[in-house]
Amino acid sequence: MFDLVIIGSGPAGMTAAIYAARAELSFVVLEKGVSGGQVLNTSDVDNYPGLPEISGFDLAEKFENHAKHCGAEIRMAEVTGLEKIEGGFRILLDADDPVETRTIIIATGATPRRLGCPGEDEFAGMGVSYCATCDGAFFRGREVIVVGGGNTAVEDAIFLARGCKKVTLVHRRDAFRASKTLVTALRKTPNIELATDSVIDEIKGEDSVAGAVIRNVKTGEVRDVPADGVFVAVGTLPVNLGWADMVPCDDSGYFVAGEDCATQVPGIYAAGDVRTKDLRQIVTAAADGANAVYHVEQYLAELMAE
Ligand code: NAP
């Protein structure tokens, strides 16, 4: 039985792995896909202390290398279930034997929210994208639409404007949720057109995206905007593994946990974007990873003393 299983290898999971290794816990990190988490979808990270102007890919690689350097084992496996057993938990895996552990840190992060408009599913991967960093290069010299008003959408619009002929940023309000610095940079970028107070009613095309129907929610004006790509950046949904019936979540599906990352199930911790919190950033996810292990250690000490 492991002392700890960490599920997810984004900034929260990798920081937890570094702290778990330094605490000499027996542990494994489970990751179902590529190590790195949402950082991999970020072009440039300029707010992680000490590492100005690093790409999301490079930062994710540094986190992983650091964790491995400390001795972390990252096992590729998809988690399919959870069982309570004497003294801990059994985690079921898709193509591997279950693992047993005294504690769990869930660091599974979040996944892109969908728009839900006609054409979105039909053209997914054929012009509709949820990752500007991954797919932006395919649209070099073309016209694209970005949807959203948060940091991701504004960063994506600025990033895409470097290679695209024109970017139309569609946002449902006229005030941006994104940081002032980003909004200032956005407004200074000449080939970005702002379509505020606007929503996408439909994404259109034949074999691939050809444009979108944009409606101004204040004036009611509807217009066709030609575009080869639509980048959706309207926030994220928590990856709670379908465990909400076992580990209490808030109404949006985030695990309820405070700064100690302790969920309402003793021995289970939630770190990073998947837990209830005010500010979802790489640095706050990393902080969660450290806090979670600190409290795991205390929990294990109490368990051993029983
Ligand atoms: P976010 O901050 O939740 O913003 C989502 C945006 O999408 C909002 O502007 C929202 O509009 C809009 N939206 C939501 N549902 C919509 C719908 N159905 N149709 C149209 N628009 C919709 O999400 P995010 O930008 O992905 O950022 C997620 C977290 O990561 C945030 O905490 C963010 O600060 C952080 N992040 C930070 C950085 C950075 O610091 N460099 C970079 C990327 C992300 P309303 O504003 O009207 O609600």
Side-chain angles (χ1 to χ4, degrees), residues 27-113:
F27 74 99
V28 65
V29 181
L30 302 176
E31 169 57 55
K32 74 166 183 174
V34 182
S35 196
Q38 293 172 91
V39 181
L40 292 174
N41 301 347
T42 308
S43 51
D44 306 312
V45 177
D46 63 3
N47 55 359
Y48 195 82
L51 295 171
E53 295 177 23
I54 188 166
S55 74
F57 182 87
D58 287 347
L59 185 57
E61 195 176 44
K62 278 185 189 293
F63 285 149
E64 183 182 351
N65 288 343
H66 191 163
K68 284 182 172 164
H69 173 77
C70 293
E73 179 200 349
I74 303 173
R75 197 179 292 178
M76 289 300 148
E78 181 163 0
V79 170
T80 55
L82 173 69
E83 292 170 2
K84 179 82 186 89
I85 57 171
E86 181 67 32
F89 307 92
R90 179 179 295 122
I91 298 173
L92 309 182
L93 305 176
D94 60 340
D96 213 338
D97 291 337
V99 285
E100 294 185 350
T101 177
R102 294 181 182 85
T103 64
I104 301 171
I105 295 177
I106 309 168
T108 41
T111 190
R113 179 185 283 127

Side-chain angles (χ1 to χ4, degrees), residues 35 37 73 109 128 133 175 186 191 217 232 261 283 295:
S35 196
E73 179 200 349
V128 173
T133 322
L186 175 79
N191 58 337
V217 292
V232 180
C261 297
V283 73
H295 289 93

Side-chain angles (χ1 to χ4, degrees), residues 217-304:
V217 292
K218 287 208 169 142
T219 65
E221 183 208 359
V222 175
R223 62 189 173 114
D224 275 324
V225 174
D228 301 300
V230 176
F231 288 85
V232 180
V234 294
T236 54
L237 297 171
V239 180
N240 64 22
L241 301 167
W243 289 4
D245 54 338
M246 293 175 283
V247 186
C249 291
D250 70 3
D251 290 344
S252 305
Y254 293 91
F255 291 114
V256 177
E259 199 188 343
D260 61 4
C261 297
T263 69
Q264 289 169 28
V265 178
I268 299 187
Y269 298 77
D273 282 10
V274 78
R275 86 162 169 96
T276 47
K277 55 160 60 183
D278 290 336
L279 185 62
R280 293 193 168 84
Q281 300 270 295
I282 301 168
V283 73
T284 61
D288 276 9
N291 268 313
V293 172
Y294 176 71
H295 289 93
V296 161
E297 281 186 82
Q298 291 186 344
Y299 175 84
L300 287 171
E302 282 167 23
L303 210 62
M304 298 306 165

